[in-house]
Amino acid sequence: MTYYIKADQFFYPYEIKKGGFLEIVDGKFGDWTEEIPTSAEILDYSGKSIAPGLVETHIHGFGGADAQDAEIEGIMGTMSEGLLSAGVTSFLPSPLTDNHEGLKEVCSVVGEHYQEARGAKVRGIFFEGPFFTEEHKGAQNPKYMRDAKMWELEDWQNAAHGMLKKVGLAPEREGSEEFIRKATESGVTIALGHSNATYKQAVAGVQAGATMWIHTFNGMSGMTHQEPGMVGAILNTPNTYAELICDGHHVRPEAAEIVMKMKGADHVVLITDSMRAAGLPDGPYMLGEYEVEVRDGAAWLPTGRPAASILTLKTAVKNVVDWGIATPAQAIMMASLTPAKSVNIDDVCGQIKTGLDADFIVLDSEMNLVATYLDGQKRFG
């Protein structure tokens, strides 16, 4: 089946195509053209914009389900289908710090059932932990935190059938540099975070092969004129990817703007870090083994500090535009192509490109989500 989408603009990786038509052929992107055959079927989105489906590379839960539960229906059903309402068409379910067997169970569920996802496509797994430091544990249980060992990664990867794409760690932990080298050689992306590392230790992690930073500013050593710390390393390593939670609670817009100016839209990854309460009403919820209170647009620990968010990726995109710190094109890039590139899945998602699955979203002039399409078929809106 072939049809053409008519819209005011189309967000391509490095340009905006104004007007014209985008061909969809058997669920795949075709070519953009200024004119189409007179007998062609047209899907008219005049006044709207077409963008690639959003790519979520750091998300714990949604709609009551959580990756930590290691439940097929929760990940492949509740999360996968629910994320379509957030404009997400590809995601990496992300469990928290846990013991070896708990994380291995998540690997088995995803590795054996990822193709059963009924909505947004499961493109891999992100382990936010367990190789972190207790000083910046966040809403994670420090009793599981430990030094990184390759045997653990290899066992998890075997259970995941190669779907473990990204692993977080604190670079100051013993043996981290050797682990980073071996892990990256095996094809796993290493993200640094939940760390009290010095600037020197953080840069050493990058030199060993780490290419990402977990939720910039949150859960890491700050920057001073005497010790630049993790934040200084992020701002001073131009070829690394910096995650940002742009909900207005975890990071002030001004701080996010500084990161975007230093890194560029091609190296900033918008994430949600959202928990199971995302998409649900306010109230008490469990985040891993900890109870949090959801109110005022965020999840809060009893200490009054923000925990994992309830942000949706479509809202993060709208926020950075509304705050005046990114153009629509930059915002889309930071939530689609850049996250896809950061974990090496841009060959299957994150951009409008001839031959790729026609996973895309429709936006109005205010950057509100109008519809979400998967394989050329409308699934939300």
Side-chain angles (χ1 to χ4, degrees), residues 92-325:
L92 270 59
S94 313
L96 295 165
T97 286
D98 200 352
N99 60 34
H100 183 83
E101 291 305 316
L103 292 172
K104 186 175 180 179
E105 188 175 359
V106 177
C107 287
S108 295
V109 167
V110 174
E112 294 170 13
H113 300 280
Y114 72 95
Q115 293 178 319
E116 299 169 25
R118 300 199 299 267
K121 298 167 183 176
V122 176
R123 301 294 191 181
I125 308 167
F126 166 43
F127 274 7
E128 192 188 7
F131 309 131
F132 292 150
T133 183
E134 292 81 355
E135 290 96 330
H136 289 283
K137 64 182 184 297
Q140 304 204 38
N141 194 330
K143 77 177 184 180
Y144 299 122
M145 294 181 180
R146 52 197 186 268
D147 295 337
K149 303 294 183 182
M150 274 304 295
W151 74 264
E152 283 204 276
L153 178 61
E154 290 166 354
D155 195 41
W156 289 327
Q157 192 69 289
N158 183 59
H161 299 284
M163 289 290 285
L164 184 53
K165 301 291 186 182
K166 175 181 168 186
V167 173
L169 62 78
E172 71 271 29
R173 293 203 72 108
E174 186 176 349
S176 290
E177 289 182 40
E178 181 182 4
F179 177 85
I180 292 170
R181 281 192 289 270
K182 291 181 178 179
T184 53
E185 286 173 4
S186 74
V188 174
T189 296
I190 296 297
L192 306 180
H194 286 277
S195 166
N196 200 39
T198 63
Y199 176 86
K200 183 177 180 180
Q201 289 171 325
V203 171
V206 172
Q207 292 173 339
T211 55
M212 293 201 71
W213 308 92
I214 300 170
H215 43 52
T216 301
F217 296 114
N218 302 122
M220 61 178 60
S221 52
M223 177 180 180
T224 71
H225 65 297
Q226 293 290 351
E227 174 48 67
M230 290 279 285
V231 172
I234 292 170
L235 298 177
N236 209 30
T237 50
N239 294 318
T240 56
Y241 295 92
E243 293 183 349
L244 274 176
I245 307 172
C246 289
D247 61 355
H249 297 284
H250 284 77
V251 178
R252 286 186 60 86
E254 298 88 346
E257 183 178 21
I258 291 170
V259 176
M260 291 176 190
K261 284 181 176 179
M262 292 296 293
K263 308 293 288 184
D266 58 344
H267 281 86
V268 171
V269 175
L270 294 183
I271 62 161
T272 64
D273 192 18
S274 66
M275 56 171 290
R276 70 173 74 247
L280 298 178
D282 289 357
Y285 292 90
M286 294 303 295
L287 173 62
E289 299 179 9
Y290 294 90
E291 184 171 299
V292 297
E293 182 75 19
V294 171
R295 53 179 167 78
D296 305 323
W300 305 89
L301 292 167
T303 60
R305 296 176 63 86
S309 80
I310 57 169
L311 179 68
T312 61
L313 204 50
K314 68 176 182 182
T315 303
V317 169
K318 181 173 170 55
N319 281 348
V320 296
V321 174
D322 289 348
W323 294 341
I325 64 175

Side-chain angles (χ1 to χ4, degrees), residues 30-86:
D31 297 326
W32 176 88
T33 181
E34 292 183 352
E35 298 181 2
I36 59 171
T38 55
S39 59
E41 179 182 344
I42 298 175
L43 179 59
D44 193 347
Y45 275 118
S46 296
K48 305 296 190 295
S49 300
I50 306 298
L54 306 183
V55 179
E56 176 72 273
T57 56
H58 182 163
I59 177 169
H60 302 291
F62 190 92
D66 194 291
Q68 201 87 21
D69 299 336
E71 295 178 354
I72 299 171
E73 178 58 28
I75 299 172
M76 309 306 161
T78 304
M79 284 185 69
S80 175
E81 291 183 308
L83 284 172
L84 296 174
S85 68

